[in-house]
Amino acid sequence: MIYDHKLMSQLPTLSATEVTSERLLLRKAHHTDRDGLIELMTDPEVRAYLGGPRPRSEVEQYFDMSIANPTPSPGNFVIADNTTNRLIGTLTLARRSADRPGHVTEGGGELELGYVLRRSAWGAGFAYEAATAALRAAADELPDQPVLVVTQTANQRSLKLAARLGFRPVSTFVEFDAEQTLCTAPLSGFRI
């Protein structure tokens, strides 16, 4: 598949503000998500491959500023249980900055999928379900293009999930003082 590299960075991200699946609702953050997001960002096990836990005061300040001054952030979602609306994790489907390493197009700007779940939600298939729902919504809305998953090579659980979603590893590079694996899949592969 050949992609127009200059066009990649100009393409929009997923504009949907909510995406649903059988068990999940992907939505914007609410005030009621505060404690769950703080737990997510300060948990050493959850953040083991993401640079470690963030200081609680930093996370609280960031959350309070974000909720007080909401700006549109296409492709940024809270993953919530669609019955209880309780936060399970977060998911992003946003453009990877061209100035960061790890690209499959010359100009960069590819869609990048990222997800983080609370430890209590691990092993239940929520990351797979949320990622599939977001990628299907994007495939219905956006033109075909490469989608990236970048994770620390040491994070075997994330690499297995990427493979299960249909992403294939294409390269490794060093970022954040650790080897990262770059995986990619065409967005068209998620159309129903």
Side-chain angles (χ1 to χ4, degrees), residues 8-174:
M8 294 306 304
S9 62
Q10 299 171 357
L11 289 173
T13 57
L14 178 62
S15 67
T17 57
E18 287 192 353
V19 177
T20 58
S21 66
E22 183 180 336
R23 302 178 293 168
L24 303 174
L25 171 64
L26 280 60
R27 57 165 175 78
K28 67 179 186 170
H30 300 152
H31 287 286
T32 57
D33 298 322
R34 187 177 199 273
D35 291 342
L37 285 168
I38 290 169
E39 176 191 320
L40 190 66
M41 299 299 290
T42 60
D43 186 315
E45 285 185 63
V46 169
R47 303 276 310 164
Y49 300 106
L50 298 168
R54 309 303 311 151
R56 183 181 178 93
S57 60
E58 179 184 300
V59 175
E60 289 174 341
Q61 183 179 13
Y62 176 79
F63 181 80
D64 292 342
M65 283 181 10
S66 298
I67 291 295
N69 301 307
T71 57
S73 298
N76 290 309
F77 298 98
V78 161
I79 304 169
D81 178 291
N82 69 7
T83 303
T84 65
N85 206 21
R86 184 174 184 263
L87 179 135
I88 294 171
T90 62
L91 180 139
T92 59
L93 187 60
R95 298 281 168 197
R96 184 167 179 85
S97 176
D99 62 352
R100 293 182 64 196
H103 294 281
V104 294
T105 64
E106 189 176 306
E110 306 92 338
L111 283 173
E112 180 179 10
L113 174 68
Y115 37 81
V116 181
L117 297 180
R118 294 167 89 169
R119 250 185 305 148
S120 60
W122 289 2
F126 292 131
Y128 177 83
E129 185 175 332
T132 299
L135 290 164
R136 284 181 177 161
D140 287 345
E141 181 180 320
L142 302 172
D144 189 34
Q145 58 195 283
V147 181
L148 309 178
V149 169
V150 177
T151 189
Q152 275 192 26
T153 303
N155 190 348
Q156 291 299 304
R157 289 180 70 164
S158 187
L159 288 172
K160 286 179 185 175
L161 174 58
R164 184 173 171 221
L165 286 164
F167 288 81
R168 61 179 180 79
V170 293
S171 67
T172 60
F173 59 91
V174 175

